Amino acid sequence: MTQLLASASVESVAPGAVPTPPRRGRLRRRGRLIAIAFVLPALAVNLLVIGGPTVSSIIYSFTDWNGITVPEFVGLDNWVRLLGDDTFWNALGHNFIYLLIFLTAPMAMGLVGAFMLSRIRRGAALFRVLFFIPYLLVSVINAQIWRNLLDPELGIASVLRGMGIHWLDDVYFFADKDLALYSVAFVDNWHFWGFLVVLFLAAMQGIDASQYEAARIDGANAWQEFRHVVLPGIRPTLTFALTIIAIGALLVYDYPFILTAGGPAGSSDVASLLVNRTAFVSREAGYASTMALALSLLGGVFLIFFNILRRREEEN
Amino acid sequence: MSALTAIRARRERSVERPPGGLGRTPVSYAVLVILGLFAFLPVLVLLFNSLKTSLELGTNPLGPPSSLDFSNFVEAWTRGSMARGLGNSAILVAGTILGTWLCAGSAAYALARLDLPFKRGVETYLFVIISLPVQMFIVPLFFLWVRLGLINTLFGLIVIYVALNTPFSVLLLRTFLVGIPRELDEAARLDGANELQVATRVILPLSWPGFLTVGLVSGLGAYSELMFAVTFLLDPAQMPGATSFLQFSQGFTQLYNLVNAAGVIIVLPLIILFLLMQRRFIAGLATGGTKG
């Protein structure tokens, strides 16, 4: 503040002159106007894209609206419909399966990968790059890689067949309604876990070296060291990882969209796909807003839950 | 100054981290090799198959190619209209980076160094916006974009990307700008520098790592983003590389040599950039890393 005043006075007031109180007030106002002007572009873009549509989304969730004509207020009709909508609950159920998968496989792989990386010296940088590449690649390419590998005629199945193993003959990973959801989650996991390695590794490197030494003097083996030094040491990062996994699983869109589009017969449908289909294909924008709002509220519940978890940790 | 020494101290400590103990490392290496193969072999197959002829693909579906055949790349480039797709991607990436720098940079400057009223309010708004899921606003936004004539335009998509990137970028850049000691700009002003010179000659050179990270994260996001790109751009002439690749791959299923070649072209810029500036990439993605 004082420095801004100083700079303004360099321009407008002769050096050494003491500004009178009203003049100081005007300068202060000018400084504030400049500051507001600096924030204006960011604020305008945000209100246009995020703030405004968020508020109207809440309003539209109580209307019957096709996106073009004037919305018609219908009270709680959309919410009542949502409660009895099997398509929605089917999709949301898949989000929770997705969540369970992501809370286990990538978490375990990320923790193991990071712990092993923290224990070696030579080659650590190389492994880190290898693990990270799938996270870096574009989702459409990752999907293409696994469409190729899991192709019943031109993928792993045909290599096994050449070796006389017929386990994967006629297994259509993305077209079988019992496998589609898990196959999609698998590809998404393959893309994601390397990010957790990098995240956990950074946290593990922040643990005080004396704690490791103390554990070693006590004769701890690798598992005990992991259990009693590493896990407690990276707890805030674990909570952070759980948060982004929970939100990510609730809102997942990319891999189901690319690989199965929710099919076959809704067996890999997820909530975000359904929201966009309802809004942009069926043109039921009002009802889609209701779905989206329900989804966002659930996401909010997750955020609050993990926030409480984090606070409790900080208190300990 | 103190921030710098703190960073340096942390870096030194991480270099001196405890060695693994000799007897334990073979197990670590074994696990790491398995995980490394799991991560990388599939990517290698993408590359292998992009170099095969259709004939070889049938007899040798996953192994290394018997000869290097680059004709797939030529064919994918023309049949997949990749010049157009990557051109659109370049516009999207450049527009998003510049827009984010401008919006987030100026807002962060005001928050960190100017006398902005309602500072706390602006910061709270940013935190709320960051935790909003896109589903919360995508439906009304689509129909707003239809009405404003921004649908099917790269400019409309750039505005969305800038809005999505700005909140976290403001918070990131603010920490960089707050860390610069005020004595520096006061000294520059005493030497007769005006406000613009202070911003560009003193502040910018000291905060460029923050701007680089913001540019990297938002540019990478614009290059790979899917949901808004497939929803808001329906005309193939406007599609960026990633979404036109998706169309191409759905039109040529099982022609893995051809489609994989297109895929290699799409990821090549990413891989090169990553290998050139690995550390910043990882730091940047860890900062903005909420992508599922």
Side-chain angles (χ1 to χ4, degrees):
Chain A
M1 179 56 225
T2 47
Q3 135 230 357
L4 186 84
L5 262 181
S7 71
S9 49
V10 166
E11 286 159 23
S12 53
V13 184
V18 181
T20 49
R23 178 140 196 116
R24 186 183 284 269
R26 206 176 307 142
L27 277 176
R28 187 180 158 87
R29 209 173 309 135
R30 186 170 160 236
R32 293 192 148 196
L33 284 178
I34 292 177
I36 291 171
F38 268 78
V39 182
L40 221 51
L43 209 60
V45 170
N46 259 279
L47 285 176
L48 181 72
V49 175
I50 302 175
T54 297
V55 174
S56 46
S57 195
I58 298 172
I59 298 169
Y60 289 137
S61 72
F62 298 101
T63 65
D64 183 13
W65 183 46
N66 63 9
I68 295 150
T69 53
V70 180
E72 186 191 334
F73 184 74
V74 293
L76 290 175
D77 281 10
N78 286 334
W79 291 90
V80 173
R81 180 178 163 195
L82 189 70
L83 286 177
D85 188 345
D86 289 341
T87 334
F88 178 72
W89 294 109
N90 170 57
L92 196 64
H94 293 156
N95 285 93
F96 277 93
I97 297 176
Y98 222 85
L99 175 63
L100 283 183
I101 296 172
F102 268 73
L103 286 179
T104 48
M107 281 298 269
M109 291 167 75
L111 281 171
V112 168
F115 185 55
M116 298 302 173
L117 265 183
S118 75
R119 298 166 69 77
I120 65 163
R121 290 204 153 171
R122 203 160 291 189
L126 175 71
F127 283 117
R128 203 170 62 154
V129 169
L130 290 184
F131 296 167
F132 201 68
I133 280 180
Y135 184 72
L136 179 75
L137 297 188
V138 188
S139 56
V140 289
I141 311 294
N142 285 334
Q144 172 66 16
I145 289 174
W146 284 97
R147 248 196 307 249
N148 186 168
L149 286 173
L150 297 179
D151 189 306
E153 282 145 42
L154 291 167
I156 297 169
S158 83
V159 174
L160 289 178
R161 205 177 305 132
M163 292 155 57
I165 304 169
H166 293 275
W167 295 342
L168 295 182
D169 285 9
D170 298 318
V171 178
Y172 290 84
F173 284 94
F174 300 114
D176 183 325
K177 67 177 174 38
D178 296 324
L179 293 176
L181 180 66
Y182 303 97
S183 308
V184 170
F186 170 81
V187 177
D188 204 342
N189 174 20
W190 175 78
H191 141 85
F192 179 67
W193 71 277
F195 170 72
L196 289 183
V197 171
V198 172
L199 193 71
F200 291 148
L201 184 64
M204 286 178 194
Q205 286 171 345
I207 298 174
D208 204 339
S210 63
Q211 297 203 13
Y212 286 102
E213 277 154 30
R216 283 191 194 143
I217 290 167
D218 290 346
N221 61 29
W223 166 249
Q224 285 163 336
E225 200 177 298
F226 178 73
R227 175 76 189 73
H228 297 291
V229 178
V230 173
L231 275 189
I234 64 165
R235 261 177 79 163
T237 311
L238 280 178
T239 317
F240 174 70
L242 290 180
T243 314
I244 60 171
I245 285 177
I247 301 294
L250 190 67
L251 304 176
V252 58
Y253 181 85
D254 284 19
Y255 286 91
F257 175 83
I258 302 165
L259 286 165
T260 63
S267 60
S268 61
D269 205 12
V270 290
S272 292
L273 283 178
L274 182 62
V275 168
N276 284 15
R277 256 197 345 260
T278 310
F280 310 129
V281 182
S282 322
R283 291 282 163 142
E284 294 186 85
Y287 185 46
S289 299
T290 314
M291 279 182 185
L293 189 57
L295 205 59
S296 307
L297 288 175
L298 204 56
V301 171
F302 280 177
L303 276 184
I304 291 169
F305 172 73
F306 286 113
N307 239 334
I308 293 172
L309 210 67
R310 203 187 41 147
R311 281 231 186 105
R312 198 173 290 171
E313 266 164 29
E314 277 166 8
E315 277 164 20
N316 286 344
Chain B
M1 196 50 222
S2 60
L4 276 178
T5 41
I7 289 168
R8 204 168 294 146
R10 195 191 291 168
R11 206 172 272 167
E12 272 158 21
R13 194 171 57 196
S14 73
V15 170
E16 288 164 13
R17 80 177 187 267
L22 280 176
R24 296 155 172 177
T25 40
V27 182
S28 300
Y29 276 110
V31 174
L32 288 171
V33 166
I34 292 171
L35 288 175
L37 291 177
F38 174 65
F40 192 64
L41 278 186
V43 182
L44 210 56
V45 171
L46 177 84
L47 185 64
F48 282 167
N49 285 0
S50 70
L51 295 164
K52 288 174 192 168
T53 61
S54 305
L55 203 65
E56 192 185 352
L57 201 63
T59 53
N60 171 21
L62 302 181
S66 55
S67 62
L68 297 184
D69 175 18
F70 288 96
S71 64
N72 292 322
F73 288 86
V74 179
E75 203 184 335
W77 183 264
T78 50
R79 286 175 78 176
S81 320
M82 295 194 68
R84 192 178 65 193
L86 290 175
N88 287 338
S89 285
I91 296 173
L92 265 183
V93 168
T96 304
I97 294 177
L98 287 178
T100 309
W101 274 348
L102 204 72
C103 285
S106 61
Y109 190 73
L111 274 175
R113 307 186 87 84
L114 297 181
D115 176 30
L116 183 72
F118 310 116
K119 243 179 217 185
R120 291 300 291 270
V122 173
E123 278 163 21
T124 314
Y125 176 75
L126 289 175
F127 275 114
V128 171
I129 287 288
I130 285 178
S131 37
L132 275 184
V134 292
Q135 277 76 5
M136 188 70 218
F137 51 85
I138 189 172
V139 177
L141 181 64
F142 179 87
F143 295 106
L144 179 67
W145 252 221
V146 170
R147 205 170 316 156
L148 295 177
L150 289 173
I151 211 84
N152 252 330
T153 65
L154 287 174
F155 176 73
L157 197 58
I158 289 172
V159 173
I160 296 175
Y161 287 163
V162 169
L164 292 177
N165 282 312
T166 298
F168 96 87
S169 305
V170 170
L171 295 176
L172 186 90
L173 288 175
R174 194 196 51 169
T175 58
F176 274 90
L177 294 174
V178 164
I180 299 170
R182 303 218 160 207
E183 292 79 21
L184 278 180
D185 15 335
E186 268 156 35
R189 284 198 191 94
L190 282 180
D191 289 344
N194 63 31
E195 274 306 300
L196 191 70
Q197 283 171 327
V198 169
T200 54
R201 301 246 177 102
V202 181
I203 306 294
L204 208 59
L206 286 172
S207 57
W208 70 268
F211 278 91
L212 206 57
T213 304
V214 163
L216 201 61
V217 173
S218 52
L220 214 58
Y223 193 77
S224 332
E225 203 280 334
L226 186 77
M227 177 147 75
F228 283 97
V230 294
T231 311
F232 284 68
L233 300 176
L234 305 165
D235 176 9
Q238 303 293 325
M239 283 180 185
T243 39
S244 60
F245 171 84
L246 185 62
Q247 279 216 322
F248 183 60
S249 70
Q250 284 161 349
F252 295 88
T253 37
Q254 289 208 323
L255 286 179
Y256 291 113
N257 52 344
L258 191 60
V259 180
N260 288 12
V264 170
I265 296 175
I266 301 265
V267 297
L268 212 56
L270 289 180
I271 302 268
I272 292 172
L273 207 63
F274 174 64
L275 293 178
L276 285 180
M277 37 201 299
Q278 211 201 108
R279 184 166 299 189
R280 185 164 305 282
F281 249 73
I282 290 177
L285 287 177
T287 335
T290 41
K291 131 186 179 190

